[in-house]
Amino acid sequence: MANQNEINELRARVNALQQELDSIKKKLDATGAPALPPAEAPQPAQKPRKESRIGIYIKTRIVPEFEPLIGGNLIGKLGLLTLVLATAWFIKYAFDRQWINESGRIYTGLVAGFGVTSFGLRLARGRLRVISHSIIGTGCAILYVAVFGAYFFYNLLGREETFIALFILSACIALVAARADSQILYLFSLAGAFLAPVLMSRGENSYRFLFGYIAIINAGFLVISFRRYWRVAPFVLLGADVLVYAIWAAENLSRSSFTVPFVFILYVFLLFMAIEIAVNPRVWRSVSRAALVLLPANIALFLWLGIWTVNEFHRNLRPHFILFAAGMLALSYYIFNHHSKGVGNEKPSGSH
């Protein structure tokens, strides 16, 4: 009986709770629940303004390139030009007043050239890379003028001494360029190296010495190619080689032997093929777009100069030369295909 009474009490409590819930629900239905604030209508997404190609080019290319050009490059070169002009005016004024004799003028130029070059090298050790290379180039130009002036204007140096001095100066500039990874300085050294025999020449046909000298310059670039990945320098060097040979051959090929000129053009051809198909793919793991232009140019120039030389001495050997050139190209293709497997087309980082 006791359990039945407890059960009845529980049922009565549940019924009471149910009645209270029902009454609360009726009150809520009568008064109404607070309405939620209406949701704002979604705004149509605004399309981003499409910037013109001209604007994008100005922001991404012109502005980033224009700022360093004005801030560090152009203004630096103008300042150096002003300094050089002021120095030249003072030296000329001193010369006109006879304050400095002839040997003193040369010594002044040498001291000024070494001083400016040393100052540029000191700046190159810091972060002033662009301005330091310009200063080094200015100092080297002063040295070139001083050495050549000692020979041409005042006869203070003999022709052999002047040539050796110009060659040593060009070699030193090339070493500095390779050390500082400055392709501009190297091109400056090439200009001085190729101008040296032209300025020193008296019209004689010393082609054995000329081609041996140029071969040394090309060998130097081959050595540099193992340390620096430059793309403009090989075009300039190959163009200078061909230009010197063509100018010489136009006047002196018929008065020379066949062996030395042919060996020279073959040497130049093989050297540039070796750089592009073996050195760069193997050392730098890269085949650049410039190589796709330099290789056909090297082949075409070799065929042109080779046929020109063969026709001058042994016209009947022209078919044999063409077969020889075809064999060299086949060998070059095999070597290139062997070394370029797995090589990308990106330019190695850190090259200039």
Side-chain angles (χ1 to χ4, degrees):
M1 291 294 295
N3 293 334
Q4 186 65 34
N5 292 332
E6 291 179 358
I7 292 173
N8 292 332
E9 288 180 1
L10 289 174
R11 288 179 178 175
R13 290 181 180 178
V14 170
N15 291 332
L17 291 173
Q18 185 66 38
Q19 290 177 0
E20 289 182 4
L21 289 174
D22 292 339
S23 63
I24 293 173
K25 186 175 180 181
K26 289 180 181 180
K27 291 180 180 180
L28 290 175
D29 293 338
T31 57
L36 295 174
E40 296 182 357
Q43 298 290 335
Q46 295 182 355
K47 295 182 179 181
R49 293 182 60 186
K50 189 175 181 180
E51 195 170 4
S52 64
R53 293 183 178 180
I54 297 177
I56 296 174
Y57 183 82
I58 291 175
K59 288 183 178 181
T60 59
R61 295 293 300 277
I62 297 179
V63 172
E65 293 178 1
F66 184 73
E67 289 179 352
L69 175 65
I70 294 298
N73 199 345
L74 182 60
I75 293 179
K77 287 182 171 57
L78 289 177
L80 288 174
L81 179 61
T82 303
L83 177 61
V84 171
L85 292 177
T87 305
W89 175 84
F90 175 77
I91 293 175
K92 183 180 182 303
Y93 182 79
F95 291 169
D96 294 339
R97 295 281 179 154
Q98 300 297 325
W99 294 350
I100 306 174
N101 57 18
E102 295 177 353
S103 59
R105 298 173 187 180
I106 301 302
Y107 293 141
T108 301
L110 292 175
V111 171
F114 280 117
V116 174
T117 304
S118 301
F119 179 66
L121 292 174
R122 187 172 183 178
L123 291 179
R125 297 177 182 176
R127 298 181 179 180
L128 301 177
R129 182 180 181 84
V130 176
I131 191 67
S132 63
H133 293 171
S134 301
I135 294 175
I136 294 172
T138 303
C140 294
I142 297 174
L143 291 174
Y144 274 121
V145 172
V147 172
F148 182 72
Y151 163 75
F152 188 79
F153 295 107
Y154 305 120
N155 294 322
L156 297 177
L157 291 175
R159 189 172 65 151
E160 292 77 11
E161 293 86 353
T162 304
F163 179 82
I164 294 173
L166 292 176
F167 173 72
I168 294 175
L169 180 58
S170 299
C172 291
I173 298 174
L175 291 176
V176 171
R179 182 69 179 269
D181 195 8
S182 176
Q183 188 171 204
I184 297 297
L185 279 180
Y186 179 74
L187 296 178
F188 188 80
S189 71
L190 284 183
F194 276 91
L195 283 176
V198 175
L199 297 175
M200 298 294 104
S201 176
R202 293 179 179 174
E204 65 273 16
N205 187 20
S206 303
Y207 62 94
R208 292 181 177 84
F209 173 79
L210 176 64
F211 293 148
Y213 169 75
I214 298 177
I216 294 174
I217 297 175
N218 284 265
F221 180 71
L222 175 62
V223 175
I224 292 176
S225 298
F226 285 92
R227 295 181 57 87
R228 300 300 176 191
Y229 190 82
W230 291 336
R231 294 291 76 202
V232 178
F235 285 96
V236 176
L237 181 56
L238 178 61
D241 292 338
V242 174
L243 181 62
V244 169
Y245 185 88
I247 293 175
W248 169 84
E251 298 182 359
N252 302 300
L253 182 59
S254 59
R255 299 187 291 113
S256 307
S257 65
F258 168 76
T259 305
V260 174
F262 184 79
V263 169
F264 172 74
I265 60 176
L266 178 62
Y267 166 81
V268 172
F269 168 74
L270 293 178
L271 184 138
F272 281 95
M273 294 298 287
I275 291 174
E276 297 300 332
I277 70 177
V279 176
N280 289 339
R282 187 172 183 177
V283 176
W284 300 106
R285 308 297 300 170
S286 176
V287 178
S288 67
R289 295 177 181 176
L292 302 180
V293 179
L294 184 63
L295 287 173
N298 186 33
I299 295 169
L301 292 172
F302 172 66
L303 291 174
W304 170 50
L305 297 179
I307 292 175
W308 183 5
T309 306
V310 170
N311 284 341
E312 184 67 32
F313 296 96
H314 308 285
R315 186 178 295 270
N316 58 332
L317 294 180
R318 183 169 58 182
H320 300 81
F321 169 74
I322 295 175
L323 289 176
F324 171 75
M328 297 299 298
L329 294 178
L331 179 62
S332 301
Y333 174 77
Y334 172 78
I335 297 174
F336 177 77
N337 189 41
H338 175 72
H339 287 290
S340 62
K341 290 181 179 179
V343 174
N345 293 324
E346 294 81 7
K347 183 178 179 181
S349 60
S351 57
H352 298 274

